Amino acid sequence: MHNWFECKVKFEKTAAEGSIIKVSESYLVDAFSFTEAEERITREMKPFISGEFTVANIKRVKINEIFFDESGDKWYRSKVNFVTYDEESQTEKRTAVTMFLQAADFTHALENLKKGMQGTMADYEIASITETLLMDVFRFQDSEVPAHLVSEN
């Protein structure tokens, strides 16, 4: 199971016309704790930012699924409702889940969501798809899992 944290990074960069501007960018990081999220985002950002930067905010984000598409450069948040029918009370129950999608545009985000949901046995409805301000998502690679968390069989 993944623990996702949204990290906001503030730094200065040179704008197209040559002036220096302050920017704030958001990233998703797969980490075990807030402390590790800060360490991981610092490590991931260091090669890309010249000069100093600060991790201005970290918040835990509940994400049920992420669908990656390396050809896309935007991130979308989707709310999907799983629909179940209660025979006893004869009512429909909706359970909302959050999914993130990587895509080039809204049309591809919808396609990626539908493709990711293929084979799902439960009925569902797409409640919303919204473009986010996320710049990138950093997930754990197998080689990054700390040794003390790897179980030996």
Side-chain angles (χ1 to χ4, degrees), residues 19-97:
S19 63
I20 295 178
I21 58 173
K22 292 183 179 186
V23 295
S24 178
E25 296 179 346
S26 293
Y27 298 87
L28 270 184
V29 176
D30 186 8
F32 292 103
S33 66
F34 284 90
T35 303
E36 184 184 7
E38 182 177 20
E39 185 273 327
R40 287 206 63 221
I41 194 63
T42 300
R43 184 172 21 129
E44 295 287 355
M45 297 309 298
K46 214 172 242 185
F48 301 107
I49 299 174
S50 61
E52 293 185 26
F53 64 92
T54 58
V55 179
N57 190 23
I58 300 174
K59 67 180 179 179
R60 188 180 301 271
V61 182
K62 183 168 174 36
I63 300 172
N64 297 84
E65 189 76 47
I66 295 184
F67 298 115
F68 291 91
D69 177 0
E70 299 301 323
S71 66
D73 61 346
K74 296 179 182 175
W75 287 94
Y76 294 83
R77 178 187 320 260
S78 175
K79 179 181 170 189
V80 175
N81 293 323
F82 286 102
V83 182
T84 56
Y85 185 75
D86 184 359
E87 297 280 340
E88 206 170 285
S89 65
Q90 296 188 352
T91 58
E92 284 187 349
K93 179 183 176 192
R94 286 173 169 64
T95 305
V97 296

Coordinates of all heavy atoms in Angstrom, one line a residue, residues 19-97:
S19 N 14.2 37.8 -15.8 CA 14.0 38.2 -14.5 C 13.9 37.0 -13.5 O 13.6 35.9 -14.0 CB 12.8 39.1 -14.3 OG 11.6 38.3 -14.6
I20 N 14.3 37.2 -12.3 CA 14.2 36.1 -11.3 C 12.8 36.2 -10.6 O 12.5 37.2 -10.1 CB 15.3 36.1 -10.3 CG1 16.7 35.9 -11.0 CG2 15.1 35.1 -9.2 CD1 17.9 36.0 -10.2
I21 N 12.1 35.1 -10.6 CA 10.8 35.0 -10.0 C 10.7 33.9 -8.9 O 11.5 32.9 -9.0 CB 9.7 34.8 -11.0 CG1 9.9 33.5 -11.8 CG2 9.6 36.0 -11.9 CD1 8.7 33.2 -12.7
K22 N 9.9 34.1 -7.9 CA 9.7 33.1 -6.9 C 8.5 32.2 -7.4 O 7.5 32.7 -7.8 CB 9.4 33.7 -5.5 CG 10.6 34.4 -5.0 CD 10.2 35.0 -3.6 CE 11.5 35.7 -3.0 NZ 11.3 36.1 -1.7
V23 N 8.7 30.9 -7.3 CA 7.7 30.0 -7.7 C 7.4 29.0 -6.6 O 8.3 28.7 -5.7 CB 8.0 29.2 -9.0 CG1 8.1 30.2 -10.2 CG2 9.3 28.5 -8.9
S24 N 6.2 28.4 -6.6 CA 5.8 27.3 -5.7 C 5.2 26.2 -6.5 O 4.3 26.4 -7.3 CB 4.8 27.9 -4.7 OG 4.4 26.8 -3.8
E25 N 5.8 25.0 -6.4 CA 5.3 23.9 -7.2 C 5.0 22.7 -6.3 O 5.6 22.5 -5.3 CB 6.4 23.4 -8.2 CG 6.7 24.5 -9.3 CD 7.8 24.1 -10.2 OE1 8.5 23.1 -10.0 OE2 7.9 24.8 -11.3
S26 N 4.0 21.9 -6.7 CA 3.5 20.8 -6.0 C 3.9 19.5 -6.6 O 3.9 19.4 -7.9 CB 2.0 20.8 -5.8 OG 1.6 21.9 -5.0
Y27 N 4.3 18.5 -5.8 CA 4.7 17.2 -6.2 C 4.0 16.2 -5.3 O 3.8 16.4 -4.2 CB 6.2 17.1 -6.2 CG 6.9 18.0 -7.0 CD1 7.3 19.3 -6.6 CD2 7.3 17.7 -8.3 CE1 7.9 20.2 -7.4 CE2 8.0 18.6 -9.1 CZ 8.3 19.8 -8.7 OH 8.9 20.7 -9.5
L28 N 3.8 15.0 -5.8 CA 3.4 13.8 -5.0 C 4.6 12.9 -4.8 O 5.3 12.6 -5.7 CB 2.3 13.0 -5.7 CG 0.8 13.4 -5.6 CD1 0.0 12.4 -6.3 CD2 0.5 13.5 -4.1
V29 N 4.7 12.5 -3.5 CA 5.8 11.6 -3.1 C 5.2 10.4 -2.4 O 4.4 10.5 -1.5 CB 6.8 12.4 -2.2 CG1 7.9 11.5 -1.7 CG2 7.4 13.6 -2.9
D30 N 5.7 9.2 -2.7 CA 5.4 8.0 -2.1 C 6.4 7.8 -0.9 O 7.6 7.7 -1.2 CB 5.5 6.8 -3.1 CG 5.0 5.5 -2.5 OD1 4.5 5.5 -1.4 OD2 5.2 4.5 -3.2
A31 N 5.9 7.9 0.3 CA 6.8 7.8 1.5 C 6.1 7.1 2.6 O 4.8 7.0 2.6 CB 7.2 9.2 1.9
F32 N 6.8 6.7 3.7 CA 6.3 6.1 4.8 C 5.8 7.1 5.9 O 5.0 6.8 6.7 CB 7.3 5.1 5.4 CG 7.5 3.9 4.5 CD1 8.7 3.8 3.8 CD2 6.6 2.9 4.4 CE1 8.9 2.8 3.0 CE2 6.8 1.8 3.6 CZ 8.0 1.7 2.9
S33 N 6.4 8.3 5.9 CA 6.1 9.3 6.9 C 6.4 10.7 6.4 O 6.9 10.9 5.3 CB 7.0 9.1 8.1 OG 8.4 9.3 7.8
F34 N 5.9 11.7 7.2 CA 6.2 13.1 6.8 C 7.7 13.3 6.7 O 8.1 14.0 5.8 CB 5.6 14.0 7.8 CG 4.1 14.2 7.7 CD1 3.2 13.3 8.4 CD2 3.5 15.1 6.8 CE1 1.8 13.4 8.2 CE2 2.1 15.2 6.7 CZ 1.3 14.4 7.4
T35 N 8.5 12.8 7.6 CA 9.9 13.0 7.6 C 10.5 12.4 6.4 O 11.4 13.1 5.7 CB 10.5 12.4 8.9 OG1 9.9 12.9 10.0 CG2 12.0 12.6 8.9
E36 N 10.1 11.2 6.0 CA 10.7 10.6 4.8 C 10.2 11.3 3.5 O 11.0 11.5 2.6 CB 10.3 9.1 4.7 CG 10.9 8.5 3.5 CD 10.5 7.0 3.3 OE1 9.6 6.6 4.0 OE2 11.1 6.4 2.5
A37 N 9.0 11.8 3.5 CA 8.5 12.6 2.4 C 9.4 13.9 2.2 O 9.7 14.2 1.0 CB 7.0 13.0 2.6
E38 N 9.7 14.5 3.3 CA 10.6 15.7 3.1 C 11.9 15.3 2.6 O 12.5 16.0 1.7 CB 10.7 16.4 4.5 CG 11.6 17.7 4.4 CD 11.6 18.4 5.7 OE1 11.4 17.8 6.8 OE2 12.0 19.6 5.7
E39 N 12.5 14.2 3.1 CA 13.8 13.8 2.7 C 13.8 13.4 1.2 O 14.6 13.7 0.4 CB 14.3 12.6 3.5 CG 15.7 12.1 3.2 CD 15.7 11.1 2.1 OE1 14.8 10.3 2.0 OE2 16.7 11.1 1.4
R40 N 12.7 12.7 0.8 CA 12.6 12.2 -0.6 C 12.4 13.4 -1.6 O 13.0 13.4 -2.6 CB 11.5 11.2 -0.8 CG 11.8 9.9 -0.2 CD 11.0 8.7 -0.8 NE 11.4 8.6 -2.2 CZ 10.5 8.3 -3.1 NH1 9.2 8.1 -2.8 NH2 10.9 8.2 -4.4
I41 N 11.5 14.4 -1.2 CA 11.3 15.5 -2.2 C 12.6 16.3 -2.3 O 12.9 16.8 -3.3 CB 10.1 16.3 -1.8 CG1 9.7 17.2 -2.9 CG2 10.3 17.1 -0.5 CD1 9.3 16.6 -4.2
T42 N 13.3 16.5 -1.2 CA 14.6 17.2 -1.2 C 15.6 16.5 -2.1 O 16.2 17.2 -3.0 CB 15.2 17.3 0.2 OG1 14.2 18.0 1.0 CG2 16.5 18.1 0.2
R43 N 15.7 15.2 -2.0 CA 16.6 14.4 -2.9 C 16.2 14.5 -4.3 O 17.0 14.6 -5.2 CB 16.6 13.0 -2.4 CG 17.6 12.1 -3.1 CD 17.8 10.7 -2.5 NE 16.6 10.4 -1.7 CZ 15.9 9.3 -1.8 NH1 16.3 8.4 -2.6 NH2 14.9 9.1 -1.0
E44 N 14.9 14.4 -4.6 CA 14.4 14.4 -6.0 C 14.6 15.8 -6.6 O 14.8 15.9 -7.8 CB 12.9 14.0 -6.0 CG 12.6 12.6 -5.6 CD 13.0 11.5 -6.6 OE1 13.5 11.9 -7.7 OE2 12.9 10.4 -6.3
M45 N 14.4 16.9 -5.9 CA 14.5 18.2 -6.4 C 15.9 18.8 -6.6 O 16.1 19.6 -7.4 CB 13.6 19.2 -5.6 CG 12.2 18.8 -5.5 SD 11.4 18.6 -7.1 CE 11.6 20.2 -7.9
K46 N 16.8 18.3 -5.8 CA 18.2 18.8 -5.7 C 18.8 18.9 -7.1 O 19.4 20.0 -7.5 CB 19.0 18.0 -4.8 CG 20.1 18.8 -4.1 CD 20.8 18.0 -3.0 CE 20.5 18.7 -1.7 NZ 21.2 18.1 -0.6
P47 N 18.7 17.9 -8.0 CA 19.4 18.0 -9.3 C 18.7 19.0 -10.2 O 19.3 19.4 -11.2 CB 19.2 16.6 -9.9 CG 18.8 15.7 -8.8 CD 18.2 16.6 -7.7
F48 N 17.5 19.4 -10.0 CA 16.7 20.2 -10.9 C 16.7 21.7 -10.5 O 16.3 22.5 -11.3 CB 15.3 19.7 -11.1 CG 15.3 18.3 -11.6 CD1 14.9 17.3 -10.7 CD2 15.6 18.0 -12.9 CE1 14.9 16.0 -11.2 CE2 15.6 16.7 -13.3 CZ 15.2 15.7 -12.5
I49 N 17.1 22.0 -9.3 CA 17.0 23.4 -8.9 C 18.4 23.9 -8.5 O 19.0 23.3 -7.7 CB 16.1 23.5 -7.6 CG1 14.6 23.1 -8.0 CG2 16.0 25.0 -7.1 CD1 13.7 23.0 -6.8
S50 N 18.8 25.0 -9.2 CA 20.1 25.6 -8.8 C 19.8 26.6 -7.7 O 18.9 27.4 -7.8 CB 20.8 26.2 -10.0 OG 20.0 27.2 -10.5
G51 N 20.6 26.6 -6.7 CA 20.3 27.5 -5.6 C 19.5 26.8 -4.5 O 19.3 25.6 -4.5
E52 N 19.0 27.7 -3.6 CA 18.3 27.1 -2.5 C 16.8 27.0 -2.8 O 16.2 27.7 -3.6 CB 18.4 28.1 -1.3 CG 19.9 28.2 -0.7 CD 20.0 29.0 0.5 OE1 19.0 29.1 1.2 OE2 21.1 29.5 0.7
F53 N 16.2 26.0 -2.0 CA 14.8 25.9 -2.1 C 14.3 25.4 -0.7 O 15.1 24.9 0.1 CB 14.4 24.9 -3.2 CG 14.9 23.5 -3.0 CD1 14.1 22.5 -2.4 CD2 16.1 23.1 -3.5 CE1 14.5 21.2 -2.2 CE2 16.6 21.8 -3.3 CZ 15.8 20.9 -2.7
T54 N 13.0 25.5 -0.5 CA 12.4 25.1 0.8 C 11.2 24.2 0.5 O 10.5 24.4 -0.5 CB 12.0 26.3 1.7 OG1 11.0 27.0 0.9 CG2 13.1 27.1 2.0
V55 N 11.0 23.2 1.4 CA 9.8 22.4 1.3 C 8.8 23.2 2.2 O 8.9 23.2 3.4 CB 10.1 21.0 1.8 CG1 8.8 20.2 1.8 CG2 11.2 20.3 1.0
A56 N 7.9 23.9 1.6 CA 7.0 24.8 2.3 C 5.8 24.1 3.0 O 5.3 24.6 4.0 CB 6.5 25.9 1.4
N57 N 5.4 23.0 2.4 CA 4.2 22.3 3.0 C 4.2 20.8 2.6 O 4.6 20.5 1.5 CB 3.0 23.0 2.5 CG 1.7 22.5 3.3 OD1 1.8 22.0 4.4 ND2 0.6 22.6 2.6
I58 N 3.8 20.0 3.5 CA 3.6 18.6 3.2 C 2.3 18.2 3.8 O 2.0 18.4 5.0 CB 4.7 17.7 3.8 CG1 6.1 18.1 3.3 CG2 4.5 16.2 3.6 CD1 7.2 17.4 4.0
K59 N 1.4 17.5 3.0 CA 0.2 17.0 3.5 C -0.1 15.6 3.0 O 0.3 15.3 1.8 CB -1.0 18.0 3.2 CG -1.3 18.1 1.8 CD -2.5 19.1 1.6 CE -2.8 19.2 0.1 NZ -3.9 20.1 -0.1
R60 N -0.7 14.8 3.8 CA -1.0 13.4 3.4 C -2.2 13.5 2.4 O -3.2 14.3 2.7 CB -1.4 12.6 4.6 CG -1.6 11.1 4.3 CD -1.9 10.3 5.5 NE -0.9 10.4 6.6 CZ 0.1 9.6 6.7 NH1 0.3 8.6 5.8 NH2 0.9 9.7 7.7
V61 N -2.2 12.7 1.4 CA -3.3 12.7 0.4 C -3.8 11.3 0.3 O -3.0 10.3 0.1 CB -2.8 13.2 -1.0 CG1 -3.9 13.2 -2.0 CG2 -2.1 14.6 -0.8
K62 N -5.1 11.1 0.4 CA -5.6 9.7 0.2 C -5.9 9.5 -1.3 O -6.8 10.2 -1.9 CB -6.9 9.6 1.0 CG -7.5 8.2 1.0 CD -8.6 8.1 2.0 CE -9.4 6.8 2.0 NZ -8.7 5.6 1.6
I63 N -5.2 8.6 -1.8 CA -5.3 8.2 -3.2 C -5.5 6.7 -3.3 O -4.7 5.9 -2.7 CB -4.1 8.6 -4.0 CG1 -3.8 10.1 -3.9 CG2 -4.2 8.2 -5.5 CD1 -2.6 10.6 -4.5
N64 N -6.6 6.3 -3.9 CA -6.9 4.9 -4.0 C -6.1 4.2 -5.2 O -5.8 3.0 -5.1 CB -8.4 4.6 -4.2 CG -9.1 5.1 -3.0 OD1 -9.4 6.3 -2.9 ND2 -9.4 4.3 -2.0
E65 N -5.9 5.0 -6.3 CA -5.2 4.4 -7.4 C -4.6 5.5 -8.3 O -5.1 6.6 -8.3 CB -6.3 3.7 -8.3 CG -5.7 2.9 -9.4 CD -5.1 1.5 -9.0 OE1 -5.8 0.8 -8.2 OE2 -4.0 1.2 -9.4
I66 N -3.4 5.2 -8.9 CA -2.8 6.1 -9.8 C -2.6 5.4 -11.1 O -2.0 4.3 -11.1 CB -1.5 6.7 -9.3 CG1 -1.7 7.5 -8.0 CG2 -0.8 7.5 -10.3 CD1 -0.4 8.1 -7.5
F67 N -3.0 6.0 -12.2 CA -2.8 5.4 -13.5 C -1.7 6.3 -14.2 O -1.9 7.4 -14.5 CB -4.1 5.4 -14.3 CG -5.2 4.6 -13.7 CD1 -6.3 5.1 -13.2 CD2 -5.0 3.2 -13.6 CE1 -7.3 4.3 -12.7 CE2 -6.0 2.4 -13.0 CZ -7.1 3.0 -12.5
F68 N -0.6 5.7 -14.5 CA 0.6 6.4 -15.1 C 0.5 6.3 -16.6 O 0.1 5.2 -17.2 CB 1.9 5.8 -14.6 CG 2.2 6.1 -13.2 CD1 1.7 5.2 -12.2 CD2 2.8 7.2 -12.8 CE1 2.0 5.5 -10.8 CE2 3.1 7.5 -11.5 CZ 2.7 6.6 -10.5
D69 N 0.9 7.3 -17.3 CA 1.0 7.3 -18.8 C 2.2 8.2 -19.1 O 2.0 9.5 -19.1 CB -0.3 7.9 -19.4 CG -0.3 8.0 -20.9 OD1 0.8 7.7 -21.5 OD2 -1.3 8.4 -21.5
E70 N 3.3 7.6 -19.4 CA 4.5 8.4 -19.6 C 4.5 9.4 -20.7 O 5.3 10.3 -20.8 CB 5.7 7.4 -19.8 CG 6.0 6.5 -18.6 CD 6.3 7.3 -17.3 OE1 6.9 8.3 -17.3 OE2 5.8 6.8 -16.2
S71 N 3.5 9.2 -21.6 CA 3.4 10.2 -22.8 C 2.6 11.4 -22.3 O 2.6 12.4 -23.1 CB 2.6 9.5 -23.9 OG 1.3 9.2 -23.5
G72 N 2.1 11.5 -21.1 CA 1.3 12.6 -20.6 C 2.2 13.5 -19.7 O 3.1 13.0 -19.0
D73 N 2.0 14.8 -19.7 CA 2.7 15.7 -18.9 C 1.9 16.4 -17.9 O 2.3 17.3 -17.2 CB 3.5 16.7 -19.7 CG 2.6 17.6 -20.6 OD1 1.4 17.3 -20.7 OD2 3.1 18.6 -21.1
K74 N 0.6 16.1 -17.8 CA -0.3 16.7 -16.8 C -0.9 15.6 -15.9 O -0.9 14.4 -16.2 CB -1.5 17.4 -17.6 CG -1.1 18.5 -18.5 CD -2.3 19.1 -19.2 CE -1.8 20.2 -20.1 NZ -2.9 20.7 -20.9
W75 N -1.3 16.1 -14.7 CA -1.9 15.2 -13.7 C -3.4 15.6 -13.5 O -3.6 16.8 -13.3 CB -1.1 15.2 -12.5 CG 0.2 14.5 -12.7 CD1 1.4 15.0 -13.0 CD2 0.4 13.1 -12.6 NE1 2.3 14.0 -13.1 CE2 1.7 12.8 -12.9 CE3 -0.5 12.0 -12.3 CZ2 2.3 11.5 -12.9 CZ3 0.1 10.7 -12.3 CH2 1.4 10.5 -12.6
Y76 N -4.2 14.6 -13.4 CA -5.7 14.9 -13.2 C -6.1 14.1 -12.0 O -5.7 13.0 -11.7 CB -6.5 14.4 -14.4 CG -6.2 15.2 -15.7 CD1 -5.1 14.9 -16.5 CD2 -7.0 16.3 -16.0 CE1 -4.9 15.7 -17.6 CE2 -6.8 17.0 -17.1 CZ -5.7 16.7 -17.9 OH -5.4 17.5 -19.0
R77 N -7.0 14.7 -11.2 CA -7.6 14.0 -10.0 C -9.0 13.6 -10.5 O -9.8 14.4 -11.0 CB -7.7 15.0 -8.9 CG -8.4 14.4 -7.6 CD -8.6 15.5 -6.5 NE -7.5 16.4 -6.4 CZ -6.6 16.3 -5.5 NH1 -6.7 15.4 -4.6 NH2 -5.6 17.2 -5.4
S78 N -9.4 12.4 -10.2 CA -10.7 11.9 -10.6 C -11.4 11.3 -9.3 O -10.8 10.7 -8.5 CB -10.5 10.8 -11.6 OG -11.8 10.2 -11.9
K79 N -12.7 11.6 -9.3 CA -13.5 11.1 -8.2 C -14.4 10.0 -8.9 O -15.1 10.3 -9.9 CB -14.4 12.1 -7.6 CG -15.3 11.6 -6.5 CD -16.1 12.7 -5.9 CE -17.2 12.1 -5.0 NZ -18.2 13.2 -4.6
V80 N -14.3 8.8 -8.5 CA -15.1 7.7 -9.0 C -16.0 7.1 -7.9 O -15.5 6.9 -6.8 CB -14.2 6.6 -9.6 CG1 -15.0 5.4 -10.1 CG2 -13.3 7.2 -10.7
N81 N -17.3 7.0 -8.2 CA -18.2 6.4 -7.2 C -18.5 4.9 -7.6 O -18.9 4.7 -8.7 CB -19.5 7.1 -7.3 CG -19.4 8.5 -6.7 OD1 -18.7 8.8 -5.8 ND2 -20.1 9.5 -7.3
F82 N -18.2 4.0 -6.7 CA -18.6 2.6 -6.9 C -20.0 2.5 -6.4 O -20.3 3.0 -5.3 CB -17.6 1.7 -6.1 CG -16.3 1.6 -6.7 CD1 -15.2 2.2 -6.2 CD2 -16.1 0.7 -7.9 CE1 -14.0 2.1 -6.9 CE2 -14.9 0.6 -8.5 CZ -13.8 1.3 -8.0
V83 N -20.8 1.9 -7.2 CA -22.3 1.8 -6.9 C -22.6 0.4 -6.5 O -22.4 -0.5 -7.3 CB -23.1 2.3 -8.1 CG1 -24.6 2.3 -7.8 CG2 -22.7 3.7 -8.6
T84 N -23.2 0.3 -5.3 CA -23.7 -1.0 -4.9 C -25.2 -0.9 -4.5 O -25.7 0.2 -4.2 CB -23.0 -1.6 -3.6 OG1 -23.0 -0.6 -2.6 CG2 -21.5 -1.8 -4.0
Y85 N -25.9 -2.0 -4.7 CA -27.3 -2.0 -4.4 C -27.6 -2.8 -3.2 O -27.2 -4.0 -3.1 CB -28.1 -2.5 -5.6 CG -29.6 -2.4 -5.4 CD1 -30.2 -1.2 -5.6 CD2 -30.4 -3.5 -5.1 CE1 -31.6 -1.1 -5.4 CE2 -31.7 -3.4 -5.0 CZ -32.4 -2.2 -5.1 OH -33.7 -2.1 -4.9
D86 N -28.3 -2.2 -2.2 CA -28.6 -2.9 -0.9 C -30.0 -3.5 -1.1 O -31.0 -2.8 -1.2 CB -28.6 -1.9 0.2 CG -28.8 -2.6 1.6 OD1 -29.1 -3.9 1.6 OD2 -28.8 -1.9 2.6
E87 N -30.1 -4.8 -1.2 CA -31.3 -5.5 -1.5 C -32.3 -5.3 -0.3 O -33.5 -5.1 -0.5 CB -31.1 -7.0 -1.6 CG -30.3 -7.4 -2.8 CD -31.0 -7.4 -4.1 OE1 -32.3 -7.5 -4.0 OE2 -30.4 -7.3 -5.2
E88 N -31.8 -5.3 0.9 CA -32.6 -5.2 2.1 C -33.4 -3.8 2.1 O -34.6 -3.8 2.3 CB -31.8 -5.3 3.4 CG -32.6 -5.9 4.5 CD -31.6 -6.2 5.7 OE1 -31.0 -7.3 5.5 OE2 -31.5 -5.5 6.6
S89 N -32.6 -2.7 2.0 CA -33.3 -1.4 2.0 C -33.7 -0.9 0.7 O -34.3 0.1 0.6 CB -32.3 -0.4 2.7 OG -31.2 -0.2 1.9
Q90 N -33.3 -1.7 -0.4 CA -33.6 -1.3 -1.7 C -33.1 0.1 -2.1 O -33.9 0.9 -2.7 CB -35.1 -1.5 -2.0 CG -35.6 -2.9 -1.9 CD -37.0 -3.1 -2.3 OE1 -37.7 -2.1 -2.6 NE2 -37.4 -4.3 -2.4
T91 N -31.9 0.4 -1.7 CA -31.3 1.7 -2.1 C -29.9 1.4 -2.7 O -29.3 0.4 -2.4 CB -31.1 2.6 -0.8 OG1 -30.3 1.9 0.1 CG2 -32.5 2.9 -0.2
E92 N -29.5 2.4 -3.4 CA -28.2 2.4 -4.0 C -27.2 3.1 -3.0 O -27.6 4.1 -2.5 CB -28.1 3.1 -5.4 CG -28.7 2.3 -6.5 CD -28.5 3.0 -7.8 OE1 -28.1 4.2 -7.9 OE2 -28.7 2.4 -8.9
K93 N -26.0 2.5 -2.9 CA -25.0 3.1 -2.1 C -23.8 3.5 -2.9 O -23.4 2.7 -3.7 CB -24.6 2.2 -0.9 CG -23.5 2.7 0.0 CD -23.1 1.7 1.0 CE -21.9 2.3 1.8 NZ -21.3 1.3 2.6
R94 N -23.3 4.7 -2.8 CA -22.1 5.1 -3.6 C -21.0 5.3 -2.6 O -21.1 6.0 -1.6 CB -22.4 6.4 -4.3 CG -23.4 6.3 -5.5 CD -23.8 7.6 -6.1 NE -24.4 7.4 -7.3 CZ -25.6 6.8 -7.5 NH1 -26.2 6.3 -6.5 NH2 -26.1 6.7 -8.7
T95 N -19.8 4.7 -3.0 CA -18.6 4.9 -2.3 C -17.6 5.6 -3.1 O -17.2 5.1 -4.2 CB -18.0 3.5 -1.9 OG1 -19.0 2.8 -1.1 CG2 -16.8 3.6 -1.0
A96 N -17.2 6.8 -2.7 CA -16.3 7.6 -3.5 C -14.9 7.2 -3.3 O -14.5 7.0 -2.1 CB -16.5 9.1 -3.2
V97 N -14.1 7.2 -4.4 CA -12.6 7.0 -4.3 C -11.9 8.0 -5.1 O -12.5 8.5 -6.1 CB -12.2 5.5 -4.7 CG1 -12.8 4.5 -3.8 CG2 -12.6 5.3 -6.2

